[in-house]
Amino acid sequence: MSLNYLLRRLGLFVVVVWAAVTLIFFLPRLASERNPIVERMGQTAASAGKLGEGVGEMVKAWEAKFGLDQPLWKQYLRYFRDVLHLDFGYSLAYYPTKVIDLIIKALPWTIGLFGVATLISFLLGSLGGALLAWPKAPRFLQYLLPFFLTLSAVPYYLLGLVLLFLFAFTTRIFPLSGGYPVGTVPSLSFPFILEVLRHAVLPGCAMIIAGVGFWALQMRGMMIIGLEEDYIAFAEAKGLKGNRIFFRYALRNVLLPQATSLAITLGQVISGGILVEVVFGYPGLGTLLLKAVSGFDYNLISGIVFIIIIIIAVATLLVDLLYPLLDPRITYQRRVK
Amino acid sequence: MKALGKRLSRVGAYCRRNPKLVSGVSIILTLVLFWLIGSLLLSPTRAQPISGLPDQPPSLRYLLGTDSNGRELLAVMVVGTGLTLRIGILAGAIGLGIGIILGFISGYYGGLLDTVIKGIVDVLLTVPPLAVLVVIAAVITRAMTLDSMIVIVASLSWMLPTRTIRAQVLTMRERAYIQVARLSGMNSLEVIVKELMPNLLPYLAASFVGATAASILACIGLEALGLGPQSLPTLGMTIFWSISFSAMLRNMWWWWLPPIIIIAILFVGLFLLTAGLDEIANPRLRRRM
C-alpha cells in the first residue's frame, strides 16, 4: 500500500466529514425561515395551555443561549468546533438531556441489531450464492434463489410489518415491539439478555431475509468467474476432494471482493434499517430519529444524521485500508502499473 | 407491412429469450392499469378523509374498508399508486437528466471538471440517502407538496446514473467510430448526441429504471416516517397513518396490508425490469444466467 493511496483515502474521509457537517448545518437553515425556538414554544404552549406575556423576550433569551442571534458564519464555525467534539448541544424536545447522551444510549442497540443481522445475512447469502454456482450443489437451491431475490426487492420494513403480523400479532411467539420488556431495567443478567435476543429476532429476520438474495446473486456471479480459473482445473486434476476445492480454492478467493461491497452497501442497509426500528419500536437510532422528527428537534436530528454518516465513512475507510493488506492481488497490480 | 411483421416476430423471439424484461414490463403495466381503471371507476374524492364512515371493515359498500379518518382504502390505493408512480418517474427522469449532463461532461471532456464531478459523486454516494432526505424533509414537513417531494427525492437520485454514464462514455470515447466522426468534422455536441447517445440507449434505460426505483424507495421511506405530503393519500403516508393509528393491533388488516402488497409488487416489477434491461445492456450476462 503506497503512502499516496493512504493520503488520498484519508483526504476523502476528511472531505466526507466536512461535507456532512456543512450539509447538516446549512440545509435546515436554507430550507426554511422557521424558528426552532418559536416552534418549540408553540408546542409547549399547546401542551401546557396558555403561554403568558413576554414570549418575545423568552425567545430572545433562548436564542442567545443557543447562539442563534449571531451571524451565520460564526454559528457555522462554532457548530463545526462543537460537532468535532461530538457536542450537538441540548435536545430541544427532551430539553435538559444532551443530544450525545441520547445517541449514546441508542447506539448499542442499533449497532448490535444491524451488525449481527448484516453479518448473518452476508454469510448465509454468500454461502448460498457460492453453492448456486457449484455444479455439485443440491438442486433445490436453484429454486430458492428466485424466491429470495424477489424478497430482496421489497424494503426491509415492509417485510418487518408482515413478520410482525404473522409471528407477533397472530401467533404471539415473539413480542410486538421494543428492545426489552416494558418495566425491566437493562442489566447484564442472563434472563434479561435472553429477553433482548427474543425481541431482536423479528427485526433481525426482516433484515436477514431481505438481504440474503442480494448477496447470493452477487456471490454467484463472482463464483462463476472464479470457477473458470486455471487453479481450479489444476486442483481438480490433482484429485482434491470437492469440499476442499470449494472452500479452500474457490470460495476463499472470491470472498474478498464480496467483503468490499459489504462496506459499500452499508449506507443502504442503515437507511432501510432505520425504518425497521421504527416499525418494531426498537430503542435504537431509527426510533430516536422518528421521535426527533416528530418533535422538530433539529439538534437531535442533525446529531443522529451526523453519527450515521460518520459510522459509514469510518467503515468504508477501514475496509479500503484493510483491503490491500488482505488481498495481495491488489498490491501486485499496483506495482505492475 | 412485411418488414413490420418480421420485426415484430424478431421482438417476440427476443422477448422469449428475456422473460425478466417481459414480466417486469407486464407487472408495471398492470399497476398502471389498476390506477387508470380505478381512477375511471372511483372518484378521487373518496380517498379524502370523512368520505365514508370511519373504521369500516371491507364490505360491498366499501370494498377495502375505511381507515380511522374515513378514507376509503380502495380509492386511497388507486390514488396512492398513481402518486407514487408519478413521484418515482418524475424524480427518476430528473435524476437521469442530471446524470446524462454530468456524466457526459465528466466522461467526454475529462480534466479538472471530471475530477470535481467524480469527487462529489463519490462523497455523496457514501452518505445514506435517507439520512440527508430526513434533514431536508424535517424542516419543511407541513409545507411539503407533491412537487417539493419530487425535487427533494430527485436531488439524491442523480449520482448513480452519473457514475454509470461516465464509465460508459469513458470506454466509448476512444472507439474508432468516434474518432472517424470527429475527423469528419462533427463538433463535440454532435458526437455526443448523434454517436454516443444512441449507443448508450440500453444503459440510459437501465439507469432510468434504477433511478426511478431508488426515488420510489426514498420517497416511501420518507413518507413512512411521516415526512411526506401530509394531505395526499400516498402509499407511504398510508403506512405511516396505519402505524400511528396502530391499525395492526386493532386487527385492521385492510388498512396496512394493501399498501404493502402494492409496494412489494411495484418493487418486484422494477427489479425484474432492471434485470431484463441489464441483459440487453450487457449481452455477456446472457450466457451466464
Side-chain angles (χ1 to χ4, degrees):
Chain A
M1 186 167 41
S2 63
L3 190 68
N4 190 1
Y5 172 75
L6 187 74
L7 286 178
R8 249 206 346 247
R9 192 58 194 78
L10 283 175
L12 184 69
F13 177 74
V14 172
V15 172
V16 169
V17 174
W18 169 77
V21 177
T22 309
L23 269 178
I24 289 167
F25 179 81
F26 281 109
L27 277 182
R29 284 165 179 82
L30 284 181
S32 88
E33 268 84 66
R34 271 200 356 219
N35 185 332
I37 306 282
V38 176
E39 203 77 48
R40 184 76 200 121
M41 292 267 189
Q43 273 194 348
T44 321
S47 62
K50 90 175 205 235
L51 212 61
E53 290 141 27
V55 177
E57 281 87 52
M58 274 166 80
V59 170
K60 278 227 176 70
W62 283 109
E63 276 182 350
K65 186 166 169 55
F66 289 119
L68 294 175
D69 53 347
Q70 304 203 337
L72 203 59
W73 65 270
K74 252 188 189 165
Q75 286 187 40
Y76 177 59
L77 288 184
R78 200 176 118 156
Y79 188 76
F80 216 111
R81 192 197 63 208
D82 289 349
V83 164
L84 290 187
H85 290 100
L86 289 179
D87 179 4
F88 305 99
Y90 291 98
S91 156
L92 300 175
Y94 303 85
Y95 168 57
T97 325
K98 288 210 127 193
V99 165
I100 191 67
D101 294 332
L102 288 169
I103 292 178
I104 285 178
K105 228 163 80 186
L107 202 56
W109 295 98
T110 299
I111 291 185
L113 177 66
F114 290 20
V116 174
T118 311
L119 206 65
I120 295 179
S121 143
F122 174 78
L123 291 177
L124 274 181
S126 299
L127 191 66
L131 279 172
L132 276 172
W134 184 243
K136 289 164 202 151
R139 296 302 304 163
F140 74 92
L141 277 174
Q142 303 288 343
Y143 302 103
L144 278 179
L145 182 68
F147 174 70
F148 278 107
L149 268 183
T150 314
L151 285 181
S152 73
V154 181
Y156 299 158
Y157 51 99
L158 296 183
L159 219 59
L161 275 174
V162 176
L163 288 181
L164 199 59
F165 178 71
L166 291 178
F167 297 106
F169 179 73
T170 315
T171 52
R172 296 181 193 276
I173 302 174
F174 292 104
L176 272 166
S177 81
Y180 50 90
V182 185
T184 53
V185 184
S187 61
L188 275 178
S189 64
F190 182 67
F192 183 76
I193 292 175
L194 214 63
E195 274 301 321
V196 167
L197 287 179
R198 215 167 73 90
H199 279 76
V201 168
L202 285 186
C205 278
M207 296 179 73
I208 294 170
I209 295 173
V212 162
F214 170 78
W215 295 118
L217 184 68
Q218 206 171 330
M219 190 67 179
R220 175 169 166 265
M222 282 189 299
M223 195 73 171
I224 289 173
I225 303 171
L227 285 177
E228 285 166 5
E229 297 280 351
D230 290 340
Y231 55 76
I232 300 286
F234 179 67
E236 270 165 13
K238 269 207 298 193
L240 291 180
K241 278 206 191 101
N243 263 344
R244 194 179 159 84
I245 298 178
F246 178 74
F247 284 108
R248 300 290 287 273
Y249 283 69
L251 190 66
R252 212 171 141 185
N253 276 305
V254 290
L255 209 55
L256 275 168
Q258 177 87 339
T260 357
S261 47
L262 183 66
I264 294 169
T265 50
L266 209 62
Q268 294 294 329
V269 171
I270 291 189
S271 282
I274 286 174
L275 286 149
V276 170
E277 285 190 3
V278 170
V279 165
F280 286 91
Y282 204 75
L285 284 183
T287 310
L288 195 60
L289 187 63
L290 181 74
K291 285 182 190 155
V293 165
S294 49
F296 299 112
D297 191 341
Y298 297 124
N299 286 354
L300 190 50
I301 295 177
S302 28
I304 296 172
V305 170
F306 180 77
I307 291 288
I308 291 177
I309 294 177
I310 292 304
I311 292 177
I312 292 167
V314 170
T316 29
L317 177 71
L318 282 181
V319 169
D320 278 358
L321 292 186
L322 287 179
Y323 192 61
L325 299 180
L326 291 175
D327 193 344
R329 284 171 292 186
I330 300 291
T331 37
Y332 178 62
Q333 277 171 354
R334 218 162 262 282
R335 220 175 290 146
V336 164
K337 228 197 262 167
Chain B
M1 207 55 216
K2 212 177 175 189
L4 184 75
K6 215 175 190 178
R7 192 163 236 196
L8 276 180
S9 75
R10 209 178 294 161
V11 170
Y14 180 74
C15 286
R16 231 168 294 142
R17 280 214 315 270
N18 195 344
K20 282 182 207 143
L21 187 70
V22 179
S23 41
V25 170
S26 22
I27 288 175
I28 301 295
L29 280 183
T30 313
L31 282 178
V32 173
L33 270 183
F34 168 71
W35 169 65
L36 269 179
I37 296 173
S39 319
L40 288 177
L41 296 180
L42 293 164
S43 123
T45 51
R46 292 169 75 173
Q48 295 302 320
I50 42 175
S51 54
L53 296 168
D55 296 333
Q56 294 301 305
S59 62
L60 275 180
R61 180 142 173 244
Y62 308 112
L63 281 177
L64 263 179
T66 61
D67 70 9
S68 294
N69 289 317
R71 298 186 187 92
E72 268 184 58
L73 280 158
L74 187 59
V76 169
M77 289 305 101
V78 169
V79 177
T81 307
L83 287 174
T84 303
L85 284 173
R86 203 157 91 197
I87 295 176
I89 289 172
L90 285 176
I94 297 176
L96 180 71
I98 301 175
I100 287 179
I101 296 172
L102 293 183
F104 273 104
I105 292 178
S106 186
Y108 191 78
Y109 295 104
L112 183 69
L113 221 53
D114 178 40
T115 319
V116 172
I117 293 176
K118 192 176 171 290
I120 295 176
V121 168
D122 281 349
V123 168
L124 285 180
L125 273 178
T126 52
V127 172
L130 195 67
V132 178
L133 292 174
V134 162
V135 176
I136 309 176
V139 228
I140 43 173
T141 31
R142 281 194 211 121
M144 181 75 89
T145 60
L146 195 63
D147 294 333
S148 51
M149 187 84 185
I150 293 171
V151 174
I152 289 173
V153 170
S155 68
L156 284 183
S157 66
W158 55 271
M159 286 95 74
L160 265 183
T162 305
R163 195 151 94 162
T164 355
I165 293 167
R166 174 182 173 275
Q168 286 307 317
V169 172
L170 273 182
T171 65
M172 285 196 170
R173 195 175 59 176
E174 304 305 327
R175 301 266 170 92
Y177 67 88
I178 299 294
Q179 279 169 1
V180 170
R182 234 183 269 154
L183 286 176
S184 60
M186 279 190 180
N187 63 32
S188 306
L189 197 68
E190 274 177 315
V191 172
I192 288 176
V193 175
K194 287 191 184 152
E195 303 288 336
L196 286 173
M197 283 279 214
N199 281 304
L200 282 177
L201 266 183
Y203 287 97
L204 297 183
S207 289
F208 174 62
V209 177
T212 302
S215 303
I216 294 181
L217 186 69
C219 131
I220 292 179
L222 273 185
E223 289 167 356
L225 279 169
L227 292 172
Q230 301 290 314
S231 56
L232 290 174
T234 60
L235 296 177
M237 283 315 278
T238 310
I239 289 179
F240 171 71
W241 293 125
S242 76
I243 293 176
S244 50
F245 279 86
S246 36
M248 190 179 288
L249 295 181
R250 293 157 67 200
N251 212 357
M252 294 168 74
W253 57 267
W254 60 89
W255 192 351
W256 59 268
L257 193 58
I260 292 185
I261 293 179
I262 293 184
I263 294 172
I265 292 176
L266 179 59
F267 277 117
V268 171
L270 286 171
F271 173 75
L272 289 169
L273 200 56
T274 323
L277 284 172
D278 267 349
E279 271 185 48
I280 300 182
N282 309 315
R284 282 207 296 173
L285 278 176
R286 259 178 244 158
R287 249 185 312 136
R288 296 217 186 98
M289 280 298 158

